Amino acid sequence: PGLISGAADGKGLGLDFLRHVKRTTGLLFVVDASNGPQGALDDLHAVCTEIARNRDADSIKRPALLFANKLDLVDDPIKAVADVQ
């Protein structure tokens, strides 16, 4: 499952999903690289915003890894990953 805009307000899996985030020791973000670097960054920003808006603001400060998904749909995967960094 994933987060959508408005999750902190109860949309989608919303608060049920965010409760799981509170119990983690780290976060793994998977972004869709096929939308281009800006699309991936926009998606990451949306997810981070929802986590930060949740009642446990410390969740966003946990160690995190970022993975790019759908790199097989990108012309130059190495450049796509470098652009997101």
Side-chain angles (χ1 to χ4, degrees), residues 4-31:
I4 62 171
S5 293
D9 299 322
K11 291 184 182 177
L13 293 176
L15 300 175
D16 291 334
F17 186 88
L18 290 170
R19 267 196 301 263
H20 291 289
V21 173
K22 289 181 183 182
R23 296 192 303 252
T24 66
T25 57
L27 300 170
L28 171 65
F29 296 104
V30 181
V31 295

Side-chain angles (χ1 to χ4, degrees), residues 31-77:
V31 295
D32 184 347
S34 69
N35 292 329
Q38 190 58 51
L41 290 173
D42 290 346
D43 292 345
L44 179 62
H45 177 69
V47 170
C48 289
T49 298
E50 293 304 319
I51 292 171
R53 288 184 59 223
N54 195 24
R55 291 174 229 140
D56 180 17
D58 288 337
S59 295
I60 199 64
K61 297 177 184 173
R62 295 191 176 125
L65 293 174
L66 174 62
F67 283 86
N69 189 17
K70 299 183 183 179
L71 283 170
D72 55 322
L73 302 176
V74 177
D75 291 334
D76 188 351

